[in-house]
Amino acid sequence: MFLVYLCGMQQNLKSELTKQVIIDEAFRLFHENGFKTTSIDKIMLATKLTKGAFYHHYKSKKELGLEVIGSKLQNRVCQAMIEPLGAPGDVFHILENTFLNRIKTFSLYDKEHGCPMNNFINEIGDFEIVYQAALKNIIEAWKLALIKLIERGKKEGVIQNNVSSNAVAVYLISAFEGIRGIRKLYDNDLILDEYILGLAFYLKQLKTVK
Amino acid sequence: MFLVYLCGMQQNLKSELTKQVIIDEAFRLFHENGFKTTSIDKIMLATKLTKGAFYHHYKSKKELGLEVIGSKLQNRVCQAMIEPLGAPGDVFHILENTFLNRIKTFSLYDKEHGCPMNNFINEIGDFEIVYQAALKNIIEAWKLALIKLIERGKKEGVIQNNVSSNAVAVYLISAFEGIRGIRKLYDNDLILDEYILGLAFYLKQLKTVK
DNA sequence: CCAAAAACATACTAATTGGTATGTTTTATG
DNA sequence: CATAAAACATACCAATTAGTATGTTTTTGG
């Protein structure tokens, strides 16, 4: 298994590197201009490679789209929104950090172009079933991690027991994705501040009364 | 002013009727397949008219897009989401009816293709400033009507005073738009049920404790 | 060093795009 | 009824699209 790669290593690495460059530029252009309206030509112009190189590594735009969603996008969401939920520590601190504090630290680029996943969902969530499934995977993973955290909060007695963990998870995710779309329309952060205030109130209500 | 139209009435009416047909078909196709990927040809094929007719009434696709957003879309949102907020009656009944009960009555078509406004926002909210402004108009009108209702709730003593009306309005809208995107990924209403449960809990927390 | 395969480039295709130029038909008005 | 204008149709344009066919260059393994 290891020896097999000893000789073909250089070529194999080159191939993987090229694919990564294509994925990175594709993701960036999808994020900035949308999936459907970003052509293979534009992507390959950005990579400084040619169409021939693209169709050597991918059989279609659909295959690329699925890989961008299934690896690049999924990794980003995992790293930023899912993994932090599994960390030890105060449940409310974790919730505040991922859903509230983090949104303040977004770059102007991210505020202007919105959430890549939300963009995908709204543009091609009803386009083809394969994209639908790939995007649903990410949302489901996020939702599950969130439910787990809320359940922990209940067990530790810091979150009210009379509320469905699933419902809270879905409501948190919905509002987060919603505001990231709406923020696009504005040229300042006032709307984000209002969201943050609204979320802070919501989180406070989840706490068990002492 | 009135006499001017007395004679040209038939032609004027025909023009308005044709434009309405174009707007209706355009809105439908934008909703089903997105704005950027819906061509003038496709729209005019649906109207059973031709490209010549289109460019007689509109100078560009952009002009059509702006009219679809500024009239058709705005009217829809006003009718479904804004006007009900101004009606007399119990504040919580109104909130529940517009944000909670109404979502249950959506057709499969509306569930599959999501919220037209949210689709526009996420597809072209960062595309051109004119679209941005047109969409922001609608959101702002919605937000204002919602704030007014919440303020009324506070005055009537049914909504807690220690919560920002702006924050609640933005959080309600965000979650509503967010879930309408996410619902696209699923082939059943379970995720909607969870949203509804989450929202119901949220609304309950807004109530003044008796 | 040499063949074969992988990586990439060049040059195409047919279909679609927004938009225009130039018709023909319908309606309005003196 | 004549003529002008509005409403609509037909035929085009250059640019862009996803994808293919056929190259050339680089890497691999003997």
Side-chain angles (χ1 to χ4, degrees):
Chain A
M1 188 63 181
F2 183 69
L3 274 170
V4 175
Y5 285 114
L6 256 186
C7 289
M9 210 53 168
Q10 211 167 325
Q11 200 168 53
N12 198 292
L13 199 78
K14 195 181 184 188
S15 172
E16 284 307 313
L17 234 63
T18 299
K19 286 180 84 174
Q20 199 54 55
V21 170
I22 294 175
I23 289 178
D24 286 345
E25 291 301 322
F27 178 83
R28 184 178 62 82
L29 291 169
F30 291 162
H31 189 191
E32 290 174 13
N33 310 314
F35 174 75
K36 286 178 179 172
T37 41
T38 297
S39 65
I40 305 298
D41 284 294
K42 285 176 193 162
I43 295 169
M44 296 316 285
L45 201 73
T47 64
K48 289 176 178 170
L49 291 170
T50 60
K51 212 165 209 177
F54 177 82
Y55 282 99
H56 175 73
H57 292 285
Y58 296 96
K59 73 171 209 274
S60 66
K61 187 183 177 183
K62 189 194 279 191
E63 192 181 84
L64 172 68
L66 285 175
E67 189 151 333
V68 166
I69 294 172
S71 81
K72 179 87 179 174
L73 180 64
Q74 182 138 19
N75 285 346
R76 275 177 53 112
V77 175
C78 274
Q79 213 182 329
M81 305 302 295
I82 297 180
E83 279 166 14
L85 301 181
D90 182 76
V91 171
F92 277 98
H93 272 122
I94 292 174
L95 285 175
E96 278 164 12
N97 280 332
T98 50
F99 283 93
L100 198 147
N101 296 327
R102 208 179 141 269
I103 215 168
K104 293 183 197 170
T105 70
F106 280 149
S107 64
L108 187 62
Y109 176 92
D110 279 319
K111 287 170 186 167
E112 280 175 351
H113 297 299
C115 172
M117 181 167 58
N118 200 42
N119 292 355
F120 271 113
I121 287 174
N122 283 288
E123 190 189 351
I124 58 170
D126 56 345
F127 180 44
E128 289 202 34
I129 204 164
V130 280
Y131 298 122
Q132 209 175 65
L135 291 164
K136 188 164 71 174
N137 264 345
I138 306 180
I139 291 286
E140 281 293 305
W142 190 5
K143 188 180 143 189
L144 279 178
L146 201 45
I147 290 170
K148 203 175 157 189
L149 178 70
I150 295 163
E151 290 288 323
R152 176 160 81 85
K154 284 184 182 174
K155 242 173 219 157
E156 292 174 0
V158 294
I159 292 185
Q160 285 191 43
N161 259 310
N162 68 330
V163 51
S164 154
S165 303
N166 283 53
V168 173
V170 169
Y171 203 66
L172 282 172
I173 291 174
S174 292
F176 185 82
E177 295 300 310
I179 195 63
R180 294 218 55 195
I182 291 169
R183 168 59 175 86
K184 284 194 209 178
L185 306 178
Y186 296 84
D187 50 13
N188 64 63
D189 283 349
L190 285 175
I191 196 87
L192 277 190
D193 293 335
E194 293 174 325
Y195 159 82
I196 286 169
L197 210 61
L199 173 58
F201 174 79
Y202 181 61
L203 289 178
K204 209 172 70 184
Q205 303 306 311
L206 289 177
K207 283 188 183 167
T208 45
V209 273
K210 298 198 174 175
Chain B
M1 188 66 179
F2 182 68
L3 274 170
V4 175
Y5 285 114
L6 256 184
C7 290
M9 209 54 169
Q10 210 167 322
Q11 199 168 54
N12 197 292
L13 199 78
K14 194 181 184 187
S15 172
E16 285 307 313
L17 235 63
T18 299
K19 286 180 84 175
Q20 199 53 57
V21 169
I22 294 174
I23 288 176
D24 286 346
E25 291 300 323
F27 178 84
R28 184 178 62 81
L29 290 169
F30 292 162
H31 189 191
E32 290 174 12
N33 309 315
F35 175 74
K36 286 176 178 173
T37 40
T38 297
S39 66
I40 305 299
D41 285 291
K42 283 177 194 161
I43 295 169
M44 295 317 286
L45 202 74
T47 64
K48 287 178 180 172
L49 292 170
T50 60
K51 214 166 206 177
F54 177 82
Y55 282 98
H56 176 72
H57 293 284
Y58 297 96
K59 75 170 208 277
S60 65
K61 187 184 177 182
K62 188 193 280 191
E63 193 179 86
L64 172 67
L66 284 174
E67 189 150 331
V68 166
I69 294 172
S71 81
K72 180 85 179 177
L73 179 64
Q74 182 138 21
N75 286 346
R76 275 177 53 112
V77 175
C78 274
Q79 215 183 329
M81 305 303 293
I82 297 179
E83 280 165 15
L85 301 181
D90 182 77
V91 171
F92 276 99
H93 271 122
I94 293 174
L95 285 174
E96 278 163 12
N97 280 332
T98 50
F99 284 93
L100 198 147
N101 295 328
R102 205 177 143 271
I103 215 168
K104 293 183 197 168
T105 69
F106 281 148
S107 64
L108 188 61
Y109 176 91
D110 280 317
K111 288 171 186 165
E112 279 175 349
H113 297 299
C115 172
M117 182 166 57
N118 199 42
N119 291 356
F120 271 113
I121 288 175
N122 284 289
E123 190 189 350
I124 59 171
D126 56 345
F127 180 44
E128 289 202 34
I129 203 162
V130 281
Y131 297 122
Q132 208 175 64
L135 292 163
K136 188 164 71 175
N137 264 345
I138 307 178
I139 290 285
E140 280 294 304
W142 190 5
K143 187 179 142 187
L144 280 177
L146 200 44
I147 290 170
K148 203 175 157 188
L149 179 69
I150 294 163
E151 291 288 322
R152 176 162 80 84
K154 284 182 182 175
K155 241 172 220 156
E156 291 174 0
V158 294
I159 291 185
Q160 285 191 44
N161 259 309
N162 68 330
V163 51
S164 155
S165 302
N166 284 52
V168 173
V170 169
Y171 204 68
L172 280 171
I173 291 174
S174 293
F176 185 83
E177 294 301 311
I179 195 63
R180 292 218 54 198
I182 291 168
R183 168 60 175 86
K184 284 193 208 178
L185 306 178
Y186 295 83
D187 52 10
N188 64 64
D189 283 348
L190 285 176
I191 196 89
L192 278 188
D193 293 335
E194 292 174 325
Y195 159 83
I196 287 169
L197 210 60
L199 173 59
F201 174 80
Y202 181 61
L203 289 177
K204 209 173 70 185
Q205 303 306 312
L206 290 176
K207 284 187 181 166
T208 47
V209 271
K210 300 194 170 176

